[in-house]
Amino acid sequence: MHITDYSEYQTDYQKSLEEPDLFWAEIAEHFHWRKKWNKVLEWDFEKPDIKWFLGAKLNITENCIDRHLESNAEKPALIWEPNDSSEKHKIYSYKDLHSEVCRFANVLKKLGVEKGDRVCIYMPMIPELAFALLACARIGAVHSVVFAGFSANSLSDRINDAAAKLVICSDAMCRGAKQLAVKNTVDEAIKNCTSVEKVLVVNRLDWPIQLKPNFDYLYDIESKGISDHCPATEMDAEDMLFILYTSGSTGKPKGVVHTTAGYMVYAAYSFKNVFQYDNNDIHFCTADIGWITGHSYILYGPLLNGASTVMFEGVPNYPDASRFWQIIEKHSITHFYTAPTAIRSLMQSGSDYVIPYAMHSLKVLGTVGEPINEEAWHWYHTYVGKERCQIVDTWFQTETGGILISALAGISPLCPAHAGQPLPGIQPVLLDNNGNEIVENEIEGYLCIKFPWPSILRTTYGDHERCRQTYFSSYKGYYFTGDGAKRDKNGLYRIIGRVDDVINVSGHRFGTAEIENAVNQNKNVIESAVVGYPHDLKGQGIYVYVICKELPTGEEQNWLRSSIIQTVSEEIGPIAKPDKIQFVSALPKTRSGKIMRRILRKVAEGDSTNLGDITTLLDPLVVEEIINGAVL
Ligand code: WTA
């Protein structure tokens, strides 16, 4: 399961092509199964219908926790660093983690949660968030984590889509200097959710909260005197492990479904090999557990390998831009994994914050979530890695469950701004407009994958047809990622960015249609169009063209801008706030009524020179108005 040098990588890669079943079966041997599989893989990308390790029985938490107890019970499993550096950190050994997860699982059972039930988790980055996920997995409930920065409306949609029976939340949360309500947001969200039978509240900040009898339950009370043993529920390899909502090119986010065995095998395998994890390493991934990176590389991947994983409640720039570096020194972190947007923002704060920190423990640095520009890569390498650490630029998606394209730290060839080569078992291809595989190098194509890997999504919750259409229908026989990429002469992939109507803002995915829907909820708005544009810090910024009843002027424009931003915060969450809003009297549309986004994108980028043919537009004059009024 562990690749130790480049020739081994090549041999394994070859083997994964020639004998995929054997290749994955050998890796799967490293786990604890209640019953082994009868067959490794069955697949059909057209339906799609993908099954791994058929007939096997297991529980992922026995692999994350129980099997480490014999020799590593006292080893730190979870190291929690609070938002405020003056508050004490917490360390949970594997034994402690076992007790905490079992207690949490017993509380869930007491509240009536059963195998297959969906549990929505809406919490800040506190240890109980980790316990909650693992407790669900322990008893076979399906967790659906919703990032705590989403608004009540977004939460409500996700709860309804999954028909969640229980919501787990905290009273409140802290983020930098701010304290924010959490339970109140849940109260607001569930007004429209009939599936929710109970809410379980974990205390974080002693905030006063309203408790509805026989509906709201406090974790501190429910867990009093509860047993810290809870037998793990036996799951089928293909039983659902979790749902994670993500944005696509249509308005409504979809619930990506991951199942038990395949996800487990791939999260563990990719963690071990990409990061070259060694027994005493300490891994710090700064993502939130509300995203796939947090699921796979804060929790499941590290714990499956018996690693020590760090969970940080706060933000990179509080109390100042040295917070990450302090944490790295404090806990002797060996692996640091963050997003390009965080690197760019820390770089902008100035290297003086990082220079005093030697960070001798660091060995490997990682990035994920969006393409990293060369300048940020070099800054990361020089100032954080002190020119001695390996950098892995890891490409993956919520739908892929784990990292598919990346260098293996210290083993594979590196090139700044290139994710690198596919992991063994991953068969990427670049397709042209006609769906033909591009064999030449240095040509941009649509990034697709032509063979399944264990943690590929199985469906989108409650709507299999949507899964088929989104990922498996654009190019017959391929999984389509939605990304454009290039391959260089050494076979290294460079991910260019989304080619669909998805924008990536600070590593967060939004559908342009999703933001338009939110903007249109503002009662002053008649129509809107959203595009992404290059943004120094965020990667992409959100540019909105808005039509109101009458074209607003001066002060009125400022007032409307704030109002629209407020609406988007309420509809989606503050993370989707538009950066620029331009009021227009009309949008460039074709005679058939289709918005010409290409033109809008160009103008938002500040380039109005080469707009292509605009004569087919219903009203070509509108283009001039848009160019003149561009917010640059
Ligand atoms: C983008 C995040 C370039 C890509 C793990 C993908 C990246 C989307 C990289 C998935 C990378 C992720 N280089 N782009 N190393 N990693 N992306 O589902 O556009 O939140 O399709 O998963 O992020 O976003 P998601």
Side-chain angles (χ1 to χ4, degrees):
M1 160 138 161
H2 185 197
I3 302 166
T4 56
D5 60 32
Y6 194 63
S7 74
E8 216 177 310
Y9 161 75
Q10 288 174 311
T11 320
D12 281 10
Y13 192 81
Q14 205 50 37
K15 181 168 174 184
S16 78
L17 294 183
E18 287 161 10
E19 297 174 284
D21 287 23
L22 182 66
F23 173 78
W24 287 112
E26 281 177 10
I27 290 166
E29 288 294 340
H30 290 84
F31 296 82
H32 171 73
W33 304 88
R34 297 260 184 107
K35 178 179 167 283
K36 294 250 171 88
W37 52 93
N38 315 316
K39 194 174 177 195
V40 175
L41 170 64
E42 241 176 50
W43 67 292
D44 174 347
F45 269 1
E46 272 180 43
K47 285 183 178 147
D49 182 14
I50 305 151
K51 295 192 180 82
W52 281 89
F53 308 111
L54 289 84
K57 305 285 176 197
L58 73 156
N59 184 289
I60 194 169
T61 68
E62 288 185 333
N63 285 277
C64 286
I65 312 172
D66 304 54
R67 71 179 168 138
H68 307 311
L69 294 181
E70 208 169 295
S71 48
N72 277 324
E74 302 305 332
K75 179 175 177 177
L78 189 69
I79 300 171
W80 178 73
E81 178 65 29
N83 176 62
D84 208 319
S85 45
S86 60
E87 190 179 339
K88 187 136 177 42
H89 67 272
K90 291 180 183 169
I91 299 183
Y92 298 87
S93 66
Y94 271 92
K95 193 164 129 232
D96 299 333
L97 183 64
H98 184 265
S99 305
E100 295 289 354
V101 169
C102 286
R103 279 154 47 84
F104 213 111
N106 283 327
V107 169
L108 296 183
K109 279 195 193 167
K110 191 164 123 185
L111 295 181
V113 178
E114 292 174 0
K115 182 175 173 180
D117 286 344
R118 273 83 54 218
V119 173
C120 176
I121 304 178
Y122 183 74
M123 272 168 115
M125 288 282 283
I126 55 177
E128 289 80 1
L129 167 62
F131 307 153
L133 270 82
L134 295 165
C136 287
R138 185 93 181 157
I139 62 170
V142 177
H143 56 74
S144 165
V145 184
V146 177
F147 173 60
F150 278 118
S151 68
N153 279 327
S154 293
L155 175 61
S156 174
D157 287 348
R158 287 158 173 79
I159 293 172
N160 281 332
D161 190 81
K165 187 169 170 182
L166 178 78
V167 179
I168 309 176
C169 67
S170 62
D171 55 339
M173 64 191 272
C174 30
R175 256 186 95 70
K178 281 190 263 177
Q179 291 201 347
L180 305 159
V182 178
K183 171 68 165 59
N184 283 350
T185 312
V186 171
D187 290 344
E188 182 64 32
I190 59 176
K191 280 184 188 153
N192 309 316
C193 301
T194 49
S195 63
V196 178
E197 294 172 11
K198 289 177 179 128
V199 174
L200 178 61
V201 191
V202 174
N203 179 36
R204 170 63 182 116
L205 292 173
D206 288 322
W207 269 33
I209 49 171
Q210 288 193 339
L211 293 180
K212 249 201 274 161
N214 301 321
F215 189 81
D216 290 323
Y217 294 83
L218 292 176
Y219 184 76
D220 284 345
I221 293 182
E222 298 309 312
S223 60
K224 269 219 171 73
I226 206 141
S227 162
D228 62 2
H229 274 273
C230 173
T233 299
E234 185 168 290
M235 305 295 284
D236 185 82
E238 283 297 333
D239 276 341
M240 228 189 292
L241 175 63
F242 66 85
I243 305 173
L244 190 54
Y245 284 85
T246 190
S247 298
S249 36
T250 48
K252 197 171 146 246
K254 31 184 193 298
V256 168
V257 170
H258 284 288
T259 56
T260 306
Y263 175 80
M264 171 181 83
V265 168
Y266 198 78
Y269 176 76
S270 55
F271 175 77
K272 174 85 182 164
N273 288 302
V274 168
F275 296 103
Q276 289 292 305
Y277 164 74
D278 209 6
N279 272 340
N280 294 316
D281 289 343
I282 299 182
H283 180 77
F284 177 20
C285 166
T286 70
D288 191 287
I289 289 180
W291 312 114
I292 191 67
T293 307
H295 280 56
S296 301
Y297 301 111
I298 297 178
L299 273 193
Y300 287 112
L303 296 178
L304 286 162
N305 282 282
S308 303
T309 183
V310 177
M311 186 175 169
F312 174 44
E313 184 186 31
V315 293
N317 53 6
Y318 176 81
D320 65 39
S322 63
R323 187 72 172 108
F324 280 164
W325 326 131
Q326 284 168 18
I327 298 174
I328 292 173
E329 292 214 328
K330 178 172 172 188
H331 298 292
S332 300
I333 281 157
T334 56
H335 290 64
F336 178 66
Y337 189 29
T338 197
T341 187
I343 299 170
R344 287 192 296 264
S345 119
L346 293 168
M347 183 169 92
Q348 204 190 44
S349 305
S351 309
D352 288 352
Y353 285 102
V354 59
I355 289 169
Y357 295 87
M359 300 185 280
H360 291 297
S361 55
L362 273 184
K363 297 193 288 192
V364 177
L365 304 176
T367 74
V368 60
E370 51 178 318
I372 181 163
N373 47 315
E374 292 197 24
E375 192 191 359
W377 193 98
H378 286 293
W379 186 85
Y380 200 30
H381 185 244
T382 308
Y383 290 100
V384 183
K386 317 288 180 194
E387 297 186 346
R388 58 179 168 75
C389 294
Q390 301 295 327
I391 295 192
V392 288
D393 174 355
T394 65
W395 175 84
F396 74 114
Q397 309 179 295
T398 306
E399 295 85 344
T400 71
I403 299 165
L404 300 195
I405 302 182
S406 168
L408 309 184
I411 289 182
S412 335
L414 276 189
C415 181
H418 285 68
Q421 288 171 304
L423 266 67
I426 309 303
Q427 300 185 32
V429 291
L430 299 175
L431 301 186
D432 65 18
N433 280 328
N434 302 319
N436 298 319
E437 288 189 21
I438 299 172
V439 288
E440 301 86 354
N441 297 319
E442 304 295 353
I443 296 179
E444 185 177 344
Y446 301 117
L447 179 63
C448 293
I449 321 276
K450 70 171 174 194
F451 195 83
W453 61 98
S455 62
I456 186 174
L457 87 161
R458 301 299 195 268
T459 188
T460 44
Y461 190 77
D463 193 350
H464 193 63
E465 174 56 15
R466 187 155 178 220
C467 171
R468 191 190 67 77
Q469 272 188 7
T470 313
Y471 307 105
F472 297 93
S473 72
S474 309
Y475 304 100
K476 213 170 152 198
Y478 297 92
Y479 164 80
F480 175 45
T481 65
D483 279 328
K486 270 185 187 176
R487 190 177 41 229
D488 73 7
K489 61 179 189 311
N490 302 314
L492 306 190
Y493 284 83
R494 180 190 187 114
I495 312 297
I496 295 169
R498 302 290 304 196
V499 292
D500 51 8
D501 287 325
V502 169
I503 50 183
N504 191 331
V505 184
S506 301
H508 301 153
R509 275 166 71 171
F510 297 104
T512 51
E514 183 186 1
I515 303 175
E516 284 161 11
N517 287 346
V519 170
N520 295 348
Q521 292 301 314
N522 186 296
K523 60 180 188 317
N524 303 295
V525 173
I526 291 185
E527 195 182 359
S528 65
V530 169
V531 296
Y533 71 95
H535 186 288
D536 284 350
L537 285 183
K538 299 177 172 186
Q540 279 189 296
I542 301 174
Y543 195 116
V544 193
Y545 296 88
V546 173
I547 303 178
C548 297
K549 283 185 204 102
E550 277 166 39
L551 201 60
T553 51
E555 261 311 294
E556 216 182 348
Q557 288 204 356
N558 294 338
W559 178 85
L560 270 171
R561 276 201 184 95
S562 321
S563 166
I564 290 168
I565 290 173
Q566 177 66 24
T567 307
V568 175
S569 288
E570 282 164 18
E571 290 296 318
I572 303 178
I575 48 175
K577 276 186 193 168
D579 296 282
K580 293 181 178 180
I581 298 176
Q582 179 181 353
F583 297 98
V584 292
S585 62
L587 291 167
K589 288 189 180 168
T590 59
R591 294 206 173 89
S592 60
K594 203 167 156 270
I595 298 175
M596 294 275 273
R597 286 176 188 277
R598 180 174 48 84
I599 294 176
L600 297 178
R601 258 184 241 125
K602 281 255 175 191
V603 174
E605 280 166 18
D607 172 10
S608 50
T609 48
N610 197 1
L611 297 179
D613 182 12
I614 57 169
T615 53
T616 54
L617 290 180
L618 195 58
D619 176 11
L621 283 183
V622 75
V623 175
E624 207 171 305
E625 179 206 316
I626 288 177
I627 294 172
N628 292 335
V631 186
L632 298 175

